[in-house]
Amino acid sequence: MNMEREEAFRRARAWIAQAGDHHIDGKRVAGSGPRIAVVNPATGEQIGSVAGGGAAEVDAAVNAARDCFRSAAWRDMLPATREALLLRLADLVELHAAELAAIETLDNGVPYPMALAMAGKGGPSAIRYNAGWARRLGGEEAAPSVPGRWHAYTVNQPLGVAGLIVPWNAPLAIACNKVSAALAAGCTAVLKPAELAPMTCVRLVELVHEAGFPAGAINLVNGTGPQAGAALAAHRGVDKISFTGSTVTGQGIMRQAADRVTRISLELGGKSPVVVFDDADLARAVPGVGMGIFANSGQVCAAGSRLFLHDAIYDEFLERLAGFAGSLKIGPGEQDGTMIGPLISAAQQAKVADFVAGAEAEGARVVFRSEVPDGPGYFSPLTILDQVHPDMRAVREEIFGPVLCVMRFGAGESLAELIERANDTDYGLSAYGWTSSLERAQVMARDLGAGSVKINGSGMEFALPFGGFGQSGLGRENARMGVLAFTETKAVMIGY
Ligand code: NAI
Ligand code: MG
């Protein structure tokens, strides 16, 4: 087992050291711009580099995607063939899960067991789920009431070339999802990884080719957001941008998309509420709430970062939560037993620390703060704050770090008032409730303002759409909706 793991890291290191080029029209392209360092956030060491693409590489990649999209081979490919190719891709991801996981751990810091769960289970499962839609995207027949004899129906046609912009917090999982949804719908695509953790995207594109997709179906351009990302979002040959990342960058993409009314899907930030009632099963709620904010060091768009705790269990819950947080081993993701890795970068580390310092200066109390390992990695203490006010920056803004803000409710407060407090956010990605009352569960499910509401649990289900209310985004990924988001609906009437 451990030898297998060591071997995976050895191979991952060797692969990273020589990969990092663009992949355009089925070929590796080094590009001309200065290369960007690939850094292991657990050590701060450079472990490789990626090409620094810009407008020229994006243009070549979009043209390759467009040529492939227009080709007879792609147009005439049977949906069943696309499905079969995607199923082969899922098998390849699964087969290479240990190596992919090691690459992810080295590049973005996620603990190896979590990376392995993504590469070995979550990723392949998402690809297989989307593969199934390739053959099930048919439209519907209408019964027109205009005079005459008509055959009236809809078709869901692929949009064309999709630009897929991926963030650094869970690159492989997000790329598996976006790539498979685009291909299932019949689009071709240009993938733009995050410059802070690009490597699993590059490996995934190699596997896309190994699976047998034609050259140009999926292209990859490395580079920074302002250079490669912006060039992709602005390109006239791109029909759809599917973006996951910060709200600010998403807003910029939305503005840019207005020029050509480019289709967009935006998965943005969150500040998701968690409500724990005094009738909750605390044995499940404590680790559920804890992992909901601390998993992936809080670098999760759907992290439950605002905890509303019932008066009657307030002290007990916080004590148990602190105990749980204290049991989570922080360290390099490569190390055996690590549950929490570093943050992605020194900048992210400073940003998180600044949020906490700001809250403390405004009177927040530190209920718990964990020890962090010494050394050069970008580790951040797991932090629980209470005595916070709803207008503090730490309560309003996405921290994207392991910081939980706790607020009290109970005594004389109605469920409606509580829900109003939980909904007091510009975001609306997810909301979580813990209770054994069917009544409270139903009311929370109905009234919490979020794209996903989970009662007594957390995690993601591909068969359900995922996306945000408010400033958490636009459109939905996953489920049938997520694949249809890469199509345009056409209405057809044939008179006879
Ligand atoms: P970002 O949104 O700038 O980066 C995400 C992706 O967008 C990367 O691939 C980046 O290269 C690309 N990008 C950046 N600028 C672009 C532009 N002008 N046009 C097109 N693409 C562009 O996020 P960043 O700056 O790395 O992280 C800052 C904060 O954003 C985090 O602290 C966190 O709060 C939030 N964030 C949220 C994510 C989520 O899943 N909700 C994911 C990543 C970041
Ligand atoms: Mg990195």
Side-chain angles (χ1 to χ4, degrees):
M1 163 69 183
N2 266 343
M3 271 189 44
E4 224 172 79
R5 182 162 159 164
E6 272 169 39
E7 171 62 13
F9 275 97
R10 195 193 58 72
R11 285 175 46 198
R13 281 203 165 77
W15 179 84
I16 289 171
Q18 59 75 51
D21 289 343
H22 311 298
H23 285 261
I24 299 173
D25 203 18
K27 290 181 282 289
R28 273 182 72 153
V29 177
S32 51
R35 290 182 78 88
I36 300 167
V38 172
V39 171
N40 177 355
T43 61
E45 281 165 357
Q46 180 172 352
I47 52 175
S49 69
V50 291
E57 290 80 9
V58 165
D59 192 49
V62 171
N63 288 336
R66 185 140 295 279
D67 287 348
C68 178
F69 183 73
R70 287 204 190 114
S71 71
W74 186 258
R75 290 250 138 157
D76 296 341
M77 187 185 279
L78 298 175
T81 306
R82 282 208 311 279
E83 180 190 42
L85 291 175
L86 281 167
L87 292 175
R88 201 180 296 159
L89 174 62
D91 289 346
L92 287 172
V93 170
E94 196 172 56
L95 186 70
H96 295 278
E99 183 200 346
L100 282 161
I103 296 169
E104 195 86 308
T105 295
L106 289 170
D107 194 3
N108 98 331
V110 62
Y112 180 75
M114 286 77 173
L116 191 60
M118 273 303 162
K121 295 200 175 77
S125 172
I127 297 170
R128 289 183 184 121
Y129 178 82
N130 283 334
W133 283 118
R135 289 205 273 169
R136 293 169 180 82
L137 291 179
E140 54 189 35
E141 196 169 344
S145 289
V146 291
R149 295 162 73 202
W150 300 99
H151 181 203
Y153 60 95
T154 64
V155 280
N156 297 315
Q157 296 184 327
L159 264 165
V161 175
L164 311 176
I165 302 178
V166 170
W168 41 260
N169 57 325
L172 180 65
I174 292 167
C176 281
N177 204 1
K178 287 193 196 295
V179 163
S180 61
L183 290 171
C187 285
T188 60
V190 177
L191 178 64
K192 210 301 278 177
E195 57 274 38
L196 288 169
M199 298 315 294
T200 47
C201 287
V202 178
R203 188 71 185 104
L204 179 68
V205 169
E206 291 184 352
L207 296 178
V208 166
H209 291 126
E210 198 176 322
F213 280 98
I218 297 289
N219 307 272
L220 178 145
V221 177
N222 278 304
T224 65
Q227 286 181 306
L232 183 60
H235 199 287
R236 302 173 58 83
V238 172
D239 302 291
K240 156 103 193 186
I241 290 286
S242 174
F243 171 80
T244 302
S246 64
T247 293
V248 170
T249 301
Q251 287 165 330
I253 285 173
M254 191 168 176
R255 277 187 206 102
Q256 217 170 12
D259 286 348
R260 289 173 301 105
V261 197
T262 304
R263 276 62 179 138
I264 49 174
S265 296
L266 305 174
E267 297 293 343
L268 309 177
K271 195 73 191 178
S272 298
V274 186
V275 181
V276 183
F277 285 92
D278 54 340
D279 63 2
D281 175 355
L282 296 194
R284 287 168 62 208
V286 168
V289 171
M291 288 316 279
I293 182 64
F294 298 134
N296 212 23
S297 305
Q299 302 169 120
V300 176
C301 52
S305 50
R306 291 184 296 134
L307 173 62
F308 294 86
L309 257 188
H310 191 276
D311 215 20
I313 54 164
Y314 193 90
D315 294 330
E316 184 199 350
F317 192 92
L318 280 190
E319 195 176 312
R320 287 171 71 170
L321 188 64
F324 175 78
S327 76
L328 298 173
K329 194 175 155 209
I330 306 179
E334 196 174 344
Q335 215 166 68
D336 224 0
T338 293
M339 291 291 287
I340 307 290
L343 296 176
I344 190 71
S345 65
Q348 193 69 15
Q349 186 187 35
K351 180 180 148 183
V352 172
D354 187 55
F355 268 113
V356 174
E360 281 188 73
E362 288 179 79
R365 176 177 74 141
V366 178
V367 175
F368 174 80
R369 174 151 47 205
S370 66
E371 299 292 315
V372 289
D374 295 332
Y378 312 127
F379 297 100
S380 174
L382 311 185
T383 306
I384 302 174
L385 301 173
D386 77 349
Q387 295 174 14
V388 295
H389 306 290
D391 48 359
M392 280 182 182
R393 276 187 65 220
V395 177
R396 302 218 68 82
E397 296 179 27
E398 182 177 56
I399 297 177
F400 230 56
V403 181
L404 181 66
C405 293
V406 186
M407 287 157 278
R408 188 188 289 263
F409 76 93
E413 198 172 349
S414 71
L415 185 50
E417 286 167 326
L418 168 63
I419 285 174
E420 204 167 303
R421 288 171 67 195
N423 287 346
D424 179 20
T425 171
D426 293 334
Y427 292 109
L429 193 56
S430 295
Y432 307 89
W434 295 85
T435 182
S436 56
S437 152
L438 185 58
E439 169 77 13
R440 286 171 177 156
Q442 292 286 9
V443 173
M444 283 194 285
R446 189 192 64 184
D447 292 342
L448 285 170
S452 300
V453 177
K454 276 180 206 103
I455 307 296
N456 299 328
S458 52
M460 191 181 283
E461 167 53 54
F462 289 108
L464 284 173
F466 182 75
F469 285 18
Q471 292 182 25
S472 285
L474 201 64
R476 294 293 182 268
E477 291 192 279
N478 302 352
R480 186 171 197 253
M481 287 179 81
V483 182
L484 283 178
F486 289 96
T487 67
E488 195 80 90
T489 298
K490 180 184 283 176
V492 183
M493 288 183 84
I494 298 176
Y496 61 97

